[in-house]
Amino acid sequence: MIIRDRLFERLDIFQEEREKAEREAEKKRTPRSAYWETYDRASVASEPDQLVAEADIMLDIILEIADDPSIRPLTPRESWQIDKLQASREAIFRVLQEQGPDKKKYRNQPHKYGLTLKKACQLRVERLTVLKQPKTTISKIWLAYNRLIKFNDGKDLLVSSIKPSLVFRHIEDLRLSGFSSVTVSNDLSYLNLTFKYVHMLGYLEADAINPFIGHSFEAFDGPVVRQSFTPSQIELLLREAKDDLDLTQAIYVAYYTGARIDEIFTARIIQRDDHMAFSIKESGGKTASSTRIIPVSTHLSTALTNLGIGLKHNTYLSWKSKTSASLGARFARLKKLVLEREGILGHADKLVFHSFRHGFITDLFQKLYPEIMISELTGHSKSSKAKTESGRVYLGGFTAKQMIEMVEAISPIPSPSMLRHSLRSLQNRH
């Protein structure tokens, strides 16, 4: 008994008083709660060396109690206290791992006591993969997760600990950072479905509150209406990008095809009869018509030839940029430079790479091509009526010739050789 009492007296190092510990036990304080209480305390501690010392003392006591046969059997209260002590020690070492040199390795690993948001997203993604859902759906789940975790200072979250107030603050942070209500709403939708899925699997209590529902977006500004680049703006972009082959070819291809930047980046070049075309499969496949063929117009072929780019069957455009995202970021910098020089930087949110697609569609509308035919080139979904009519049009003779006619109808912009010639003429005048 003397040994037993002496050992348990040492536990007072970690508990201010014995009575407080007993009161906590009466409130059903569990190893899980002890873990998270210690984790939260250790996460903001300013003396990591002290944490190591505490953890070592904890280990000594646990081993001493566990290995000394003279103090067995432990009472239920003592066993419960030991379990909580072990949980606290694990929490301290978890924090040290997350704050140490290998923090990236440990930061988003699942915690022992509970399902983390990352693990919940992994379970959801595994299910969607089995169901063969689009890759974009999966990528958007991770985008939503990463944005929330970034708001939480890079630390993973226990799903059961996520409160509506945290999500509300996250929404406000995204709003102030310039995200649209559509983007934020989509994020919450993906996280909501993930929460529901793990709840259905039994990872959460039956009465668990879903923190991702019931939020308002009244404080958000209305949706940004995209604009098309004017011919003079496009010429300025091309002049500024004249020494950047990636940006130059991206601008020409986007302007003459209406394709999105990620589609251009992965477009396959094919030959149909005597005509070259791009075979484009939209990333994620939003609609059935998103896998489509876009003929290469004469103007685009000339521009690419001027750039020294030859189109061969079953090949791809060559890029120095590693991803479409990095290419998009480079274009954003180019656009900002040009708009700033023109004194219209305030329009930057309305003029983006997608504006080339907007201009392509607008040009065809102005030339009185019907929406159904335009959608065959752009991959936009159609209404039920449009689908029926589209079927009749296609079966009635909507041919490659008509698609070629449409891309040839796009108003031309200066080719690289024309830009070089005009530049030389301007230099000669001066």
Side-chain angles (χ1 to χ4, degrees), residues 82-120:
I82 292 298
D83 290 341
K84 289 187 286 185
L85 195 61
Q86 288 177 310
S88 295
R89 179 177 177 273
E90 289 172 359
I92 289 176
F93 274 105
R94 173 60 185 251
V95 171
L96 291 174
Q97 289 170 336
E98 291 180 345
Q99 296 179 350
D102 294 328
K103 60 184 178 182
K104 289 184 179 179
K105 176 180 178 182
Y106 295 101
R107 172 157 285 177
N108 291 326
Q109 294 299 315
H111 289 266
K112 178 179 179 180
Y113 290 93
L115 181 74
T116 60
L117 185 57
K118 182 177 184 180
K119 182 61 178 178

Side-chain angles (χ1 to χ4, degrees), residues 40-211:
D40 290 340
R41 177 177 61 83
S43 294
V44 296
S46 59
E47 298 179 5
D49 291 340
Q50 178 64 26
L51 294 178
V52 174
E54 287 184 9
D56 288 339
I57 294 172
M58 285 180 177
L59 177 60
D60 291 340
I61 297 173
I62 293 169
L63 293 176
E64 201 166 344
I65 293 174
D67 293 339
D68 193 335
S70 66
I71 62 172
R72 293 181 181 179
L74 295 173
T75 65
R77 184 187 66 81
E78 291 166 345
S79 295
W80 194 239
Q81 199 169 357
I82 292 298
D83 290 341
K84 289 187 286 185
L85 195 61
Q86 288 177 310
S88 295
R89 179 177 177 273
E90 289 172 359
I92 289 176
F93 274 105
R94 173 60 185 251
V95 171
L96 291 174
Q97 289 170 336
E98 291 180 345
Q99 296 179 350
D102 294 328
K103 60 184 178 182
K104 289 184 179 179
K105 176 180 178 182
Y106 295 101
R107 172 157 285 177
N108 291 326
Q109 294 299 315
H111 289 266
K112 178 179 179 180
Y113 290 93
L115 181 74
T116 60
L117 185 57
K118 182 177 184 180
K119 182 61 178 178
C121 290
Q122 287 174 339
L123 292 170
R124 177 67 175 156
V125 165
E126 288 171 4
R127 176 61 177 167
L128 294 178
T129 302
V130 170
L131 296 176
K132 297 182 179 179
Q133 293 297 301
K135 290 183 178 180
T136 47
T137 299
I138 292 174
S139 68
K140 287 174 182 177
I141 290 175
W142 289 121
L143 277 174
Y145 164 81
N146 286 327
R147 278 194 272 263
L148 179 54
I149 296 305
K150 181 180 179 181
F151 173 73
N152 195 48
D153 297 327
K155 295 179 181 178
D156 204 357
L157 288 158
L158 191 68
V159 176
S160 60
S161 73
I162 302 175
K163 305 298 182 186
S165 57
L166 172 69
V167 179
F168 172 76
R169 294 196 304 273
H170 173 51
I171 292 172
E172 281 296 289
D173 181 69
L174 291 176
R175 181 180 70 82
L176 295 173
S177 299
F179 287 89
S180 69
S181 59
V182 174
T183 299
V184 178
S185 177
N186 286 340
D187 275 9
L188 294 192
S189 176
Y190 287 114
L191 294 173
N192 167 41
L193 292 173
T194 299
F195 184 96
K196 287 182 176 180
Y197 180 67
V198 296
H199 186 268
M200 181 184 65
L201 293 179
Y203 283 95
L204 303 170
E205 298 294 334
D207 59 350
I209 297 175
N210 188 335

Side-chain angles (χ1 to χ4, degrees), residues 156-306:
D156 204 357
L157 288 158
L158 191 68
V159 176
S160 60
S161 73
I162 302 175
K163 305 298 182 186
S165 57
L166 172 69
V167 179
F168 172 76
R169 294 196 304 273
H170 173 51
I171 292 172
E172 281 296 289
D173 181 69
L174 291 176
R175 181 180 70 82
L176 295 173
S177 299
F179 287 89
S180 69
S181 59
V182 174
T183 299
V184 178
S185 177
N186 286 340
D187 275 9
L188 294 192
S189 176
Y190 287 114
L191 294 173
N192 167 41
L193 292 173
T194 299
F195 184 96
K196 287 182 176 180
Y197 180 67
V198 296
H199 186 268
M200 181 184 65
L201 293 179
Y203 283 95
L204 303 170
E205 298 294 334
D207 59 350
I209 297 175
N210 188 335
F212 301 109
I213 60 175
H215 295 279
S216 171
F217 298 93
E218 293 177 353
F220 281 80
D221 295 330
V224 176
V225 178
R226 303 299 187 196
Q227 296 179 351
S228 303
F229 287 108
T230 64
S232 60
Q233 289 170 345
I234 293 174
E235 184 170 342
L236 288 172
L237 288 169
L238 289 170
R239 287 186 185 280
E240 194 63 40
K242 60 183 175 63
D243 296 324
D244 191 320
L245 182 59
D246 274 15
L247 287 176
T248 304
Q249 74 171 344
I251 291 171
Y252 277 115
V253 175
Y255 179 83
Y256 284 116
T257 65
R260 303 173 180 89
I261 192 166
D262 56 331
E263 296 174 339
I264 292 172
F265 203 78
T266 58
R268 185 165 61 93
I269 302 165
I270 62 172
Q271 183 169 353
R272 288 290 177 88
D273 298 326
D274 58 346
H275 208 92
M276 303 306 293
F278 290 111
S279 175
I280 291 179
K281 183 175 182 180
E282 180 183 337
S283 177
K286 292 182 181 177
T287 65
S289 59
S290 292
T291 300
R292 60 198 189 278
I293 305 297
I294 305 179
V296 175
S297 70
T298 303
H299 296 302
L300 176 56
S301 179
T302 299
L304 294 177
T305 300
N306 288 170

Side-chain angles (χ1 to χ4, degrees), residues 345-363:
L345 191 57
H347 293 251
D349 59 337
K350 298 178 181 179
L351 291 169
V352 294
F353 195 89
H354 201 80
S355 294
F356 292 117
R357 179 175 174 83
H358 188 276
F360 178 85
I361 295 169
T362 301
D363 198 356

